[in-house]
Amino acid sequence: MSAPATSRFAQFKLVLLGESAVGKSSIVHRFVKNTFDELRESTIGAAFLTQTITIPETDTTIKFEIWDTAGQERYKSLAPMYYRNANAALCVYDITSRVSFNRAQDWIKELRKQAPEGIVIALVGNKSDLSDNREVELSEVEEYVEQYNSEATGGGSTIIIAECSAKTGDGVLEVFNRIGRALPVEEAINAAGGRARQAGGRRAGGVDLNRPRAQAQQGGSCC
Amino acid sequence: MSNGFRARLGSISTIQSARSLFPTTTVEPTTAVTFTNVEPNLIGTESTYTPSVTDSEGFLANSGLLTDDEVSDYFQQPDEDLSEMLTDLIRHTPEEPTSAKQSFLDVNIFPNPYDLDEEEFYKRHIEISKEDELFHDKLKQFFILSNAGKPIYSMNGSDEIIIGYMGVITTIISTFEENMNEEIYSISVGDMKIVALNKSPLILVSISKIAHEQPNVLLSQLNMLYNYLLSIISKPTIDRNFHNKLNYDLRRILTQLDFHNLDCLCMKMTYGLTSYDSFNYYISQLLNASLQQIKISYTARQRLNKILLDSKRMRQNSDDKETDLGADLLFSILSVNSKIVSFMKPKNHNLTNQDLTLLFSIINSSKSDISNDETSEDMWFPICMPNFNPNGFLYVFVKTIILQTTPVTITLLSSNKNSFYQIRQISNYIIHKLTKPKMLSKLTKELHESNTLAILREVPISHFIYKNKALNQFVMSDTDNSVNSVLQLSYFYNTLYHTKASQMKTIGSLNIKKFSYTRWTVDEAVITGFMLSDNNYEFYCLCNYQINSKELIGHCIKVIKWCEKNYNRLFIGNGVSFT
């Protein structure tokens, strides 16, 4: 496929969830473009972006297909489409807003009910540069996760906890690296290998459309 | 903020630019019809309203200076003889085009009771402010409220100041409804016009102190705001929420972006400000929801249309099943700065121009940062197109790619909310085709050239609009988007548009020609505005100095002929349809 033959390649779908204005889009843009826009308008519906990271220890390239969703209530009906096939979810809250932390917990509940089993969840507190106005302490987040994991029956995967600042860039890449390490890379590579052979036989039927080659990768690792 | 404003306050550079191309004007012998001796028998135009002319001595609008007979004679002659036809009717002094950079305040578009300078005036009377301090100074107000009097949106002011008005508004409207069994529409108090639109459970109100804004214009503005709400929430959702609870607060489902978008719409509709496409939007609304066009060669357009049609027919084989990727795709649009280059639609359906402009407003509002790399994001969001189906949503895929320096936006509308990945493949195919070397170089060259209309180099006309009536599409020369230019141009065109046109007696022809002529004198500067229309087109132009009528009409005819000749390049027509 498109990755060099020597390194291993896997593709995952990741969705960002959380209350409006916690900084989901800012985190994504810091991760994807390394930019920050103080006056960013809120997202309409959802935005789809991709970014690749490398995990040096395992010589693996991971491509994230990212759904940056709007936090507003009225787009909620679209949410299942984003997390239905998601491999990872970033539930974002704003460390200066308790309400947003509660909302992030609601999303985690929703994911456990609706999302595929084995989804990697990260509970991320954004705006760590504003710690003077902090309303959510890291210790209580840990407490919440501990309690949640003990209640979850046979869930297996635990929730990743992190804080970051999309504004300064602190901790943003680390979040995605930690998610990358938690993802089932081996399974994905095996599955994609099988799929790649299949994809070779795939051709546009009927009309010759010169479809771009990258298309063969579509749907990579989802199950 | 104030620095930014200063930068935006330029002169009318579009108007100034003609000067450098035509440094000298030919001095014609004059029959000296001056403003002071305009006789009633020189009928040309008649205003449908009275602009405020109180403060500026030199200011004079609506001067009709051509007679019916003379102009109609003129048009019955073969075009080659045009220049011979008309004697000079307009005083033509041997003056240079104006060099002074006039301010929109000099044109006396708005009353300026405190004698403020441009920046102060803008801040005090025009700019949206949610502070209460300047609330009463604003020239324009929009309110959206519920039947129960709950405020939903106000262009200016905070809840505290507007809440009292909400009570008054609901009382007046319900009194009319109950006692007279009819809907109140508009009230005029002195210079102030109040227009209400009752779309139960919502009420929309506009208050304008701007002389050139007529009640029918205000009403269409209110409809636009209402359509925005429909487009994001849809009619059934609004009705359902209010049905359950009369006291429902619609703000709960509106977002910051919505309030921002409503603010932008209010400024666009009223002043043609403040983003790059606002003036185009203003003109589009002025010309009855006409759609602005971009010049591109016929073959290039055909090729783009073919790409869109081909992409609709894309199929994919997987697991021995053939999927029709475009099954849910309804409309495909390729656009450059909100101007449609290529359009595909189902054979029996279409999107109205209102819906399209609304769609572009919403797409632009999200202003995803466009960059050259491949990581620019794909947007996917629901939208209700009120004139297409007010009860349901379509799902919009938007991606902007940069071809060399020109941003080309791909907008695909699907009927299925889960079709993102299929639609994305269609988009990838379109991008793949657009970026093929041959297509890319041809397209970028043409789009680059489309910014300047060649004909403007040949005539001393500063700015023009040509509208094809049958298509309801228009082309317009490029505009600099400074506050000063936009306020002046929108005022000039508004006046020209609403000035009552004279009809020319054309014997034995069903093609009725109409014209109107307006001149503004501002200090030493003279702006000439001219409108000419027949069954097929409307043509408006501005000239930044006194020009004699013979010359002016000659130039106008030249531009009109150029537009007619370039029909296939200038107009998209109905786009392409699939069956």
Side-chain angles (χ1 to χ4, degrees), chain B residues 26 38 156 251 267 275 283 319 347 400 408 469 545:
Chain B
T26 329
V38 174
N156 298 295
R251 287 182 183 181
M267 286 300 281
S275 66
I283 294 298
D319 304 333
K347 197 176 178 201
T400 298
V408 176
K469 282 178 156 177
Y545 58 96

Short mmCIF file of all heavy atoms in Angstrom, two decimals, chain B residues 26 38 156 251 267 275 283 319 347 400 408 469 545:
data_model
loop_
_atom_site.label_atom_id
_atom_site.label_comp_id
_atom_site.label_asym_id
_atom_site.label_seq_id
_atom_site.Cartn_x
_atom_site.Cartn_y
_atom_site.Cartn_z
N THR B 26 -12.70 64.01 -23.85
CA THR B 26 -12.91 64.90 -24.98
C THR B 26 -13.94 65.94 -24.59
O THR B 26 -14.97 65.62 -24.02
CB THR B 26 -13.45 64.11 -26.18
OG1 THR B 26 -12.93 62.80 -26.10
CG2 THR B 26 -13.08 64.78 -27.46
N VAL B 38 -32.93 72.30 -15.28
CA VAL B 38 -33.65 71.11 -15.72
C VAL B 38 -35.13 71.42 -15.74
O VAL B 38 -35.73 71.78 -14.73
CB VAL B 38 -33.40 69.92 -14.76
CG1 VAL B 38 -34.27 68.74 -15.15
CG2 VAL B 38 -31.94 69.52 -14.83
N ASN B 156 -28.52 44.40 17.60
CA ASN B 156 -27.78 45.24 18.54
C ASN B 156 -28.40 45.13 19.93
O ASN B 156 -29.54 44.73 20.08
CB ASN B 156 -27.84 46.71 18.10
CG ASN B 156 -27.18 46.93 16.75
OD1 ASN B 156 -25.98 46.74 16.60
ND2 ASN B 156 -27.99 47.28 15.76
N ARG B 251 -33.21 29.79 21.66
CA ARG B 251 -31.77 29.99 21.79
C ARG B 251 -31.07 28.71 22.23
O ARG B 251 -29.87 28.57 22.02
CB ARG B 251 -31.48 31.07 22.83
CG ARG B 251 -31.80 32.44 22.34
CD ARG B 251 -31.45 33.44 23.39
NE ARG B 251 -31.82 34.77 22.97
CZ ARG B 251 -31.61 35.85 23.70
NH1 ARG B 251 -31.05 35.74 24.88
NH2 ARG B 251 -31.96 37.03 23.25
N MET B 267 -25.59 42.54 8.42
CA MET B 267 -24.66 43.52 7.85
C MET B 267 -24.62 43.43 6.33
O MET B 267 -24.59 44.45 5.63
CB MET B 267 -23.25 43.32 8.43
CG MET B 267 -23.08 43.77 9.86
SD MET B 267 -23.41 45.54 10.10
CE MET B 267 -21.88 46.27 9.49
N SER B 275 -17.63 40.99 4.85
CA SER B 275 -16.67 40.00 4.37
C SER B 275 -16.50 40.15 2.85
O SER B 275 -17.16 40.96 2.21
CB SER B 275 -17.11 38.58 4.73
OG SER B 275 -18.29 38.26 4.04
N ILE B 283 -25.70 42.94 -3.91
CA ILE B 283 -26.15 43.17 -5.29
C ILE B 283 -27.06 42.04 -5.74
O ILE B 283 -28.10 42.25 -6.38
CB ILE B 283 -24.93 43.32 -6.24
CG1 ILE B 283 -24.14 44.59 -5.89
CG2 ILE B 283 -25.37 43.36 -7.70
CD1 ILE B 283 -24.92 45.90 -6.05
N ASP B 319 -16.61 -6.93 -2.32
CA ASP B 319 -17.25 -8.17 -1.88
C ASP B 319 -18.28 -8.63 -2.91
O ASP B 319 -19.40 -9.02 -2.57
CB ASP B 319 -17.91 -7.99 -0.50
CG ASP B 319 -16.91 -7.48 0.52
OD1 ASP B 319 -15.71 -7.75 0.34
OD2 ASP B 319 -17.33 -6.78 1.46
N LYS B 347 -32.73 16.00 -12.99
CA LYS B 347 -33.48 16.58 -14.10
C LYS B 347 -34.71 17.36 -13.64
O LYS B 347 -35.01 18.42 -14.15
CB LYS B 347 -33.89 15.47 -15.07
CG LYS B 347 -34.30 16.04 -16.42
CD LYS B 347 -34.62 14.96 -17.42
CE LYS B 347 -35.05 15.61 -18.74
NZ LYS B 347 -35.84 14.69 -19.55
N THR B 400 -12.51 22.57 0.13
CA THR B 400 -11.90 23.60 -0.70
C THR B 400 -10.47 23.20 -1.02
O THR B 400 -9.72 22.82 -0.13
CB THR B 400 -11.94 24.96 0.02
OG1 THR B 400 -13.30 25.31 0.24
CG2 THR B 400 -11.26 26.03 -0.81
N VAL B 408 -10.85 26.64 -5.01
CA VAL B 408 -12.03 26.07 -5.66
C VAL B 408 -12.77 25.22 -4.64
O VAL B 408 -12.16 24.36 -4.00
CB VAL B 408 -11.63 25.21 -6.88
CG1 VAL B 408 -12.86 24.55 -7.49
CG2 VAL B 408 -10.91 26.05 -7.92
N LYS B 469 -31.97 38.38 -17.68
CA LYS B 469 -33.24 38.28 -16.97
C LYS B 469 -33.80 36.86 -16.96
O LYS B 469 -34.33 36.40 -15.96
CB LYS B 469 -34.27 39.21 -17.61
CG LYS B 469 -34.09 40.66 -17.23
CD LYS B 469 -35.13 41.48 -17.96
CE LYS B 469 -35.43 42.78 -17.26
NZ LYS B 469 -36.39 43.56 -18.06
N TYR B 545 -17.13 60.44 -13.65
CA TYR B 545 -17.05 61.86 -13.99
C TYR B 545 -18.21 62.20 -14.92
O TYR B 545 -18.95 61.33 -15.36
CB TYR B 545 -15.71 62.20 -14.63
CG TYR B 545 -15.37 61.42 -15.87
CD1 TYR B 545 -15.64 61.95 -17.12
CD2 TYR B 545 -14.80 60.15 -15.79
CE1 TYR B 545 -15.34 61.24 -18.26
CE2 TYR B 545 -14.50 59.43 -16.93
CZ TYR B 545 -14.76 59.98 -18.15
OH TYR B 545 -14.47 59.29 -19.28
#
